[in-house]
Amino acid sequence: MKSFSRQILTMGNENPAEKALNLIRGRLCDPTFVFRPLSASSDSNYSKLKFIVSTSVTEGCNNSILLLGPRGSGKAAVLDLVVGDLMEEYPDSVTLISLNGLLHSEDNCAFKEIARQLCMEHHLLFSKMASFDENSQFIIAMLRECGLAHKTIIFVLDEFDMFAQASYSRGKQRLLYSLLDAMQSVTSQAVVVGISSRLDADQLLEKRVRSRFSHRKILFLPPSREEIDSLLEHLLSLPADSSFPSGYVSQFNEKIKNITSDTRFKDMLKTFLNANSTVNSLLKFIFRAVSSMNLESGLLSLENFKTALSSMQRQPKLEAVRADCSILELYLLVCMRRLEVKEQSSYNFISVMKEYKTIHDSFQTSDFYAQNVCLRAFEHLREREVICYAENRGQSQAGEYRSMKLLISASELHQGMRSHACCPAILLKLLDH
Amino acid sequence: MRLVLHLDSISISISISTSLFFFSTMPTIAGPSSSPHKHIVAARSENTGVSEVNTPRKRKLRSDSAAEVASTAIVTESSFATPMKWKSPRRCAVSSPKALKKEDSKGKLESPVMSAVKDRFDCLDVKSKWNPRDDDQMRAVKEALHVSKAPSTVVCREDEQRRVLEFVKGCMEQKKAGSLYICGCPGTGKSLSMEKIRQQADDWAQQEGLPCLETVSVNCTSLTKTTDIFSKILGESETGKKVNGSSSPLQQLQVLFSQKQQSSSTKMMLIIADEMDYLITRDRGVLHELFMLTTLPFSRCILIGVANAIDLADRFLPKLKSLNCKPLVVTFRAYSMEQILRILQERLVELPYVAFQSKALELCARKVSAASGDMRKALSVCRSALEILETEVKGSTDQEPQSPVTEDQVVKMDHMVAALSKTFKSPVVDTIQSLPQHQQIIVCSAAKAFRGSKKDRSIAELNKLYTEICKSSMITPAGITEFTNMCTVLNDQGILKLSNARDDKLKRVSLRVDEADITFALKEIRFFRNCLL
């Protein structure tokens, strides 16, 4: 209790570095803030989506649209932005119903969920005992009512491809058919927005459902270099308001500018983006970098970004080899690799020992241990999951006769051994030949 | 007396001259297209002086509406006559009088073209300029093109509608039951035609004094169980009777149709079953029983089934053939280019302004009929083109609010081309071009790996190929965990296909995208081009 109250006292006097850290971390976790600058340009996905949905709201015509893009590219975030803006502009004319393909792909379940959400929106009582027929009639009636009252219902179908692929509806896609068919009638006023990461999501639809879909697709591509630069500036610059000491703000922003224009940073960013270029992974990268900020100086540095990069591109097995293996274990790994290279399809402990003896005989190494010591080294490697048994059968056999395989690739082994603290040179030579 | 008569004749002559004046001013607005009317041609030659004055201001309007009229005129004739080579109206806006005069020689063409042109006379006078910045006008055009708006007349389906209506009328007259099966691709106007036939049958029954038709219209997707269709049919016809708990609705219907009816004025029942293939179960029982209902001795139902499969009757109802009650099959073929064009123009002709360049409409019709012949797609493409125009116009408004509305701001060819590419292009090429570099290398190695006959490989083999390509260009390859993650990301996007296996390394990978698409997407980058050789 005492420490807790002390914490509350110190919160008032936290230094600006901590405040800045909290502010930036808060920003990175808020998708609305991240995607807001993208809405400024008129050609962005935000404006295209807003145009389509708002024309449906104002003109009362029905529409259906599909948002496609890899995971983490901001589809749901942009849709939330658009819906939020529309709810502010037209407070009483928009109703939002959201479904998720992972949860609601079965027709019964989906109709119940739609009916429940409609009931909640319009303050009606929802009965869990309602049958499928009753639910569907209720939905049709509500669509008609909302159409007459000029209220638009926006149906958001997350994981759209799951709706199209549900195996237990035997390919009948009833929910999609009913929703898209309702778009065809004059009495209803609704928009169906599908979100999917499968590019061919509309090819998964049955042809009569596809005919009713209006073939509008918005593709979410990874951001370009200029967009990334402006995004970095937007996220990391501190605002010049009174809660921060003014000298600190200008210092911080100056440091950010220096870092982002540094060529080393640009190379680092390029390496990172070569593996994964979605906005989500970029945010995670910045989050890690910011979290490792030095709180005493209160400024970010290039080192923060470097540690973030290495923590995101971890290679666990390589680290196991580099940090955790003894010389004997390295010997055993090299022997297994040589057996693999010699095209021996399966090998067990005994054959590895044979290889080990051959190496010792030909190179007169000083590290030659007895079989039981090697067996213990083997067990250690197996616990670290650098090697494992090749099959699960033959569990009754003794461990020495069961076939084994490597779980680490040759290049990773090589790299691990090269960065090992005291790997003998002979081993590296043996690995290459 | 004579003076009075003289005055009368003067007044008559004045009225004649005024009417002649009005008559002759009309062709100045509708110049080239009015040639079939012989006396108007004469009047035009008289008043060419007047017409010259008017032409500069109204030239654009005349050619626009003239083009539209010429196109409709020519299209109507092509739908009746043998297909002629259709000249683009824009090119021969000046020479169209000659073209139309040639067609005058075919006597039968004169009347439909003349009547079409006569109708246009009324609208031509009021065809105002279309201002795309006006929200009301834009809304009206969009509404005219929306799928949910059913047109007042259903064109291009007269033949099929006539056949079905005759069948229904025949059944009603003879008080006999019958079954009909309507098939066709989606978007060919089946459900729309069913609605019209229903109304027409009702009207005809009232006209002839027959008892009016009871209709049960069921969309089979809304049935929880397939046998529910019988209770729906029963519920319509026997509203007063309590549902007997012991026998199923099907049995009740069978009993009903096997007994002679007490009352003589029994109503015929028209059952329309939409999306009938939802009724297909493994033992095909329900579908069979439904059609068998029409074979019972005292049955009074006319069954019309609607579905997409052409051979549904043959495949699923073989026993009916032996009982000699195979349903009549009416096929709704996919729309041809001329039909799509005609339907689009019918929808647009009711508007008092011209919003689309006719060449653009022709392009849309051509492309959609070549792809699927689906009317909904054509309407969607037109609306999409309209939206492109709207964003263009609104975009320019923001920059120069003072500029006047430029003439000819209709939907042109380039808008339609953009809309067509948006609808028909798959997003695969764009996505592959914007993938991060390592993922592009993976896609490339997959393309190379699956060139031969081998259709799937394990992740480890793909990893080997990937590392080779990376090494050949001095790029550090990613480790196996990172590689598997990237393969999962590509699987999510539908570019690769990963099978499920317990062990990560044993998963099988196959390619979902065409190799040609990959080559096309990556052709700009020399590295990949060499790689894929």
Side-chain angles (χ1 to χ4, degrees):
Chain A
M1 272 310 281
K2 253 199 194 161
S3 57
F4 187 66
S5 51
R6 208 182 306 138
Q7 260 181 1
I8 297 178
L9 282 173
T10 49
M11 256 170 64
N13 312 340
E14 67 184 13
N15 61 345
E18 275 179 19
K19 264 207 321 211
L21 188 60
N22 287 338
L23 177 73
I24 295 182
R25 285 205 280 213
R27 280 178 181 177
L28 289 169
C29 297
D30 180 16
T32 324
F33 184 84
V34 172
F35 286 98
R36 183 55 75 179
L38 295 176
S39 62
S41 86
S42 63
D43 200 26
S44 65
N45 288 336
Y46 169 86
S47 6
K48 289 186 207 164
L49 187 59
K50 179 126 194 264
F51 177 67
I52 294 178
V53 183
S54 58
T55 44
S56 307
V57 171
T58 47
E59 294 174 13
C61 57
N62 301 330
N63 248 324
S64 47
I65 184 167
L66 199 56
L67 304 178
L68 299 173
R71 289 191 197 280
S73 44
K75 309 183 286 287
V78 169
L79 180 66
D80 283 339
L81 259 183
V82 169
V83 171
D85 287 345
L86 281 176
M87 292 238 185
E88 278 175 17
E89 285 175 35
Y90 309 102
D92 280 323
S93 326
V94 176
T95 312
L96 184 69
I97 308 280
S98 4
L99 295 173
N100 194 313
L102 292 169
L103 300 171
H104 306 129
S105 55
E106 221 234 315
D107 298 324
N108 277 339
C109 199
F111 274 91
K112 200 192 270 205
E113 182 63 24
I114 297 179
R116 188 185 70 84
Q117 289 192 16
L118 280 171
C119 285
M120 260 176 38
E121 278 285 328
H122 298 270
H123 309 289
L124 301 167
L125 267 165
F126 173 69
S127 148
K128 287 191 199 154
M129 297 297 140
S131 70
F132 178 77
D133 270 338
E134 286 167 12
N135 279 335
S136 57
Q137 279 170 10
F138 171 69
I139 292 170
I140 294 174
M142 280 305 284
L143 275 172
R144 209 187 358 245
E145 284 299 314
C146 287
L148 288 172
H150 293 290
K151 287 182 71 139
T152 311
I153 304 185
I154 303 183
F155 288 96
V156 176
L157 300 173
D158 227 335
E159 315 286 344
F160 189 75
D161 45 306
M162 307 287 295
F163 283 108
Q165 269 182 330
S167 50
Y168 30 73
S169 67
R170 276 170 278 118
K172 294 236 165 124
Q173 298 177 1
R174 220 196 283 193
L175 170 71
L176 289 176
Y177 180 85
S178 330
L179 278 182
L180 289 174
D181 205 28
M183 301 290 116
Q184 313 273 301
S185 73
V186 194
T187 51
S188 60
Q189 194 173 325
V191 185
V192 173
V193 182
I195 304 181
S196 174
S197 60
R198 284 263 315 239
L199 297 172
D200 55 347
D202 62 331
Q203 305 297 323
L204 295 169
L205 298 173
E206 269 188 355
K207 57 178 197 279
R208 57 180 147 216
V209 180
R210 197 173 347 143
S211 158
R212 287 169 166 81
F213 172 64
S214 75
H215 294 101
R216 274 166 226 259
K217 296 181 251 198
I218 295 186
L219 198 54
F220 279 74
L221 296 172
S224 62
R225 287 315 302 258
E226 299 84 29
E227 281 175 5
I228 292 180
D229 289 334
S230 61
L231 189 65
L232 280 174
E233 201 192 299
H234 172 69
L235 287 171
L236 293 173
S237 321
L238 289 179
D241 63 5
S242 57
S243 54
F244 290 106
S246 61
Y248 175 65
V249 167
S250 50
Q251 221 185 357
F252 191 89
N253 291 346
E254 190 62 38
K255 195 75 206 294
I256 299 286
K257 271 210 194 44
N258 287 341
I259 295 175
T260 46
S261 46
D262 193 346
T263 45
R264 288 175 294 168
F265 177 77
K266 288 197 186 157
D267 287 338
M268 213 190 302
L269 200 58
K270 197 161 142 207
T271 336
F272 177 70
L273 290 174
N274 272 344
N276 197 340
S277 56
T278 55
V279 179
N280 208 11
S281 60
L282 186 67
L283 290 177
K284 283 189 197 159
F285 172 62
I286 300 176
F287 193 94
R288 278 187 217 222
V290 165
S291 302
S292 59
M293 181 170 88
N294 187 346
L295 284 175
E296 294 194 350
S297 70
L299 300 172
L300 281 174
S301 72
L302 203 61
E303 297 308 315
N304 299 132
F305 288 96
K306 271 199 194 139
T307 44
L309 190 64
S310 56
S311 80
M312 287 198 78
Q313 289 183 337
R314 293 187 52 213
Q315 287 174 302
K317 303 220 194 282
L318 192 152
E319 279 167 23
V321 167
R322 183 172 59 96
D324 213 28
C325 281
S326 64
I327 310 287
L328 173 61
E329 283 154 10
L330 288 179
Y331 262 98
L332 293 175
L333 286 174
V334 168
C335 293
M336 289 180 79
R337 177 72 200 142
R338 284 170 68 91
L339 285 176
E340 262 187 20
V341 165
K342 285 185 202 167
E343 311 252 350
Q344 272 205 312
S345 53
S346 69
Y347 43 84
N348 57 14
F349 179 67
I350 307 295
S351 35
V352 172
M353 289 309 295
K354 265 194 226 156
E355 178 72 22
Y356 183 45
K357 185 144 194 333
T358 343
I359 294 178
H360 174 73
D361 289 338
S362 48
F363 290 98
Q364 300 299 320
T365 54
S366 56
D367 307 299
F368 189 69
Y369 296 91
Q371 182 144 339
N372 54 347
V373 183
C374 293
L375 198 56
R376 219 165 317 142
F378 236 68
E379 283 303 310
H380 188 235
L381 281 175
R382 210 164 60 79
E383 273 166 25
R384 290 287 295 178
E385 297 229 342
V386 184
I387 63 177
C388 71
Y389 288 130
E391 306 139 355
N392 269 339
R393 300 175 299 169
Q395 277 182 354
S396 53
Q397 272 183 329
E400 301 143 332
Y401 296 97
R402 289 176 67 185
S403 51
M404 326 230 26
K405 64 176 177 164
L406 273 175
L407 285 178
I408 182 173
S409 68
S411 54
E412 278 183 338
L413 182 59
H414 206 137
Q415 236 179 313
M417 281 171 55
R418 249 186 303 160
S419 50
H420 194 271
C422 42
C423 177
I426 182 121
L427 274 183
L428 285 171
K429 209 169 69 171
L430 283 171
L431 193 59
D432 286 334
H433 307 301
Chain B
M1 277 291 274
R2 235 180 272 160
L3 199 60
V4 174
L5 276 172
H6 196 59
L7 276 171
D8 280 335
S9 62
I10 290 172
S11 62
I12 290 170
S13 66
I14 289 172
S15 60
I16 289 175
S17 61
T18 42
S19 65
L20 198 61
F21 177 73
F22 279 128
F23 213 32
S24 54
T25 45
M26 283 168 68
T28 60
I29 302 173
S33 57
S34 59
S35 45
H37 277 274
K38 298 183 184 54
H39 41 279
I40 291 187
V41 171
R44 204 172 115 247
S45 56
E46 270 179 31
N47 288 317
T48 36
V50 184
S51 63
E52 294 307 328
V53 175
N54 283 333
T55 35
R57 190 168 53 90
K58 293 204 172 157
R59 184 181 291 282
K60 278 282 157 64
L61 177 64
R62 204 167 64 199
S63 55
D64 260 353
S65 42
E68 211 209 301
V69 169
S71 61
T72 20
I74 294 174
V75 166
T76 39
E77 67 89 358
S78 69
S79 60
F80 308 152
T82 51
M84 281 174 56
K85 183 159 179 354
W86 185 39
K87 281 193 217 166
S88 158
R90 268 251 172 256
R91 254 185 280 130
C92 59
V94 174
S95 60
S96 58
K98 296 202 193 86
L100 285 172
K101 268 197 195 145
K102 268 189 220 144
E103 287 143 22
D104 271 354
S105 54
K106 300 187 183 173
K108 58 172 172 156
L109 293 173
E110 208 165 325
S111 36
V113 171
M114 270 170 66
S115 57
V117 174
K118 226 187 214 160
D119 291 340
R120 302 297 167 263
F121 266 146
D122 306 278
C123 355
L124 279 177
D125 276 345
V126 260
K127 285 253 186 227
S128 47
K129 269 311 294 302
W130 185 52
N131 180 7
R133 298 208 184 127
D134 185 358
D135 282 333
D136 285 328
Q137 289 188 355
M138 184 65 86
R139 192 182 313 189
V141 179
K142 279 197 195 167
E143 214 180 290
L145 287 175
H146 200 263
V147 184
S148 59
K149 178 163 190 273
S152 43
T153 51
V154 179
V155 289
C156 299
R157 287 289 172 221
E158 294 92 355
D159 202 28
E160 290 90 350
Q161 280 183 327
R162 196 176 34 87
R163 282 180 71 190
V164 179
L165 198 59
E166 274 172 14
F167 174 80
V168 173
K169 281 183 191 170
C171 286
M172 279 168 74
E173 274 171 350
Q174 300 166 17
K175 287 205 191 285
K176 226 169 49 120
S179 58
L180 181 73
Y181 172 61
I182 294 187
C183 58
C185 291
T188 43
K190 303 186 292 291
S191 306
L192 198 62
S193 308
M194 287 304 106
E195 277 304 305
K196 290 285 181 279
I197 286 167
R198 200 172 127 170
Q199 285 168 7
Q200 285 175 341
D202 261 340
D203 295 336
W204 182 79
Q206 276 183 344
Q207 243 181 351
E208 297 284 315
L210 292 169
C212 67
L213 203 59
E214 251 184 70
T215 328
V216 179
S217 187
V218 180
N219 192 323
C220 302
T221 51
S222 59
L223 302 172
T224 347
K225 284 196 331 277
T226 46
T227 44
D228 281 348
I229 189 165
F230 297 118
S231 38
K232 278 223 158 73
I233 300 174
L234 200 61
E236 283 290 320
S237 72
E238 305 282 325
T239 40
K241 202 168 172 184
K242 211 173 58 168
V243 173
N244 197 349
S246 59
S247 61
S248 70
L250 171 61
Q251 289 169 336
Q252 285 183 336
L253 276 172
Q254 287 175 331
V255 157
L256 190 65
F257 290 149
S258 320
Q259 297 165 341
K260 187 152 171 52
Q261 295 306 310
Q262 302 337 84
S263 50
S264 57
S265 65
T266 46
K267 295 189 191 173
M268 295 293 284
M269 189 162 36
L270 179 65
I271 306 172
I272 303 182
D274 222 343
E275 315 289 354
M276 211 169 60
D277 42 338
Y278 273 71
L279 292 178
I280 295 175
T281 48
R282 193 188 284 272
D283 60 349
R284 300 153 194 183
V286 173
L287 203 58
H288 212 247
E289 295 300 331
L290 189 63
F291 275 91
M292 292 293 277
L293 278 179
T294 56
T295 62
L296 295 171
F298 294 101
S299 157
R300 49 184 171 87
C301 57
I302 310 172
L303 175 67
I304 301 186
V306 183
N308 293 127
I310 291 182
D311 56 351
L312 196 97
D314 296 327
R315 259 193 306 152
F316 292 105
L317 306 166
K319 277 194 228 164
L320 291 181
K321 212 196 314 200
S322 56
L323 286 170
N324 208 17
C325 54
K326 210 163 90 104
L328 185 66
V329 176
V330 177
T331 316
F332 275 57
R333 298 203 178 282
Y335 286 119
S336 68
M337 190 202 90
E338 291 90 11
Q339 288 176 323
I340 295 183
L341 193 55
R342 185 157 159 229
I343 296 175
L344 286 173
Q345 281 164 339
E346 279 289 322
R347 280 190 180 230
L348 289 172
V349 85
E350 293 157 354
L351 297 169
Y353 28 76
V354 174
F356 281 80
Q357 206 188 60
S358 51
K359 247 192 158 178
L361 285 178
E362 182 200 340
L363 177 67
C364 169
R366 208 183 281 277
K367 194 75 200 279
V368 173
S369 67
S372 56
D374 185 345
M375 198 59 220
R376 289 190 185 110
K377 208 169 211 173
L379 290 171
S380 160
V381 168
C382 289
R383 287 187 65 209
S384 183
L386 206 60
E387 277 168 15
I388 293 176
L389 176 71
E390 193 178 345
T391 25
E392 195 184 282
V393 162
K394 285 217 164 84
S396 61
T397 327
D398 294 332
Q399 288 153 14
E400 306 165 9
Q402 301 306 322
S403 67
V405 175
T406 49
E407 305 232 324
D408 242 9
Q409 276 204 320
V410 292
V411 177
K412 296 207 213 43
M413 289 284 276
D414 43 355
H415 302 125
M416 195 56 88
V417 164
L420 281 168
S421 73
K422 259 171 56 173
T423 310
F424 283 102
K425 195 168 77 153
S426 88
V428 168
V429 171
D430 280 333
T431 317
I432 295 183
Q433 279 175 340
S434 60
L435 283 176
Q437 194 192 44
H438 280 281
Q439 292 181 15
Q440 280 178 334
I441 300 179
I442 296 179
V443 170
C444 211
S445 46
K448 274 179 95 163
F450 296 114
R451 248 179 211 167
S453 55
K454 230 175 171 241
K455 277 309 151 200
D456 64 353
R457 287 183 186 260
S458 70
I459 284 207
E461 290 169 32
L462 198 64
N463 190 20
K464 227 186 275 187
L465 276 173
Y466 161 77
T467 358
E468 272 170 25
I469 298 182
C470 281
K471 283 215 179 100
S472 69
S473 59
M474 310 300 221
I475 305 177
T476 29
I480 183 77
T481 19
E482 187 79 26
F483 179 80
T484 324
N485 285 341
M486 288 199 276
C487 285
T488 324
V489 168
L490 288 171
N491 174 42
D492 268 345
Q493 291 194 268
I495 299 178
L496 290 181
K497 184 165 137 87
L498 276 183
S499 67
N500 286 329
R502 223 177 5 191
D503 192 359
D504 256 359
K505 265 198 184 164
L506 290 177
K507 288 193 182 166
R508 311 293 298 178
V509 186
S510 54
L511 197 57
R512 261 201 194 123
V513 176
D514 236 1
E515 195 195 323
D517 281 336
I518 299 177
T519 329
F520 180 74
L522 295 174
K523 69 181 184 337
E524 300 292 317
I525 308 174
R526 196 163 48 141
F527 166 61
F528 290 117
R529 218 169 37 215
N530 296 338
C531 197
L532 283 167
L533 276 174

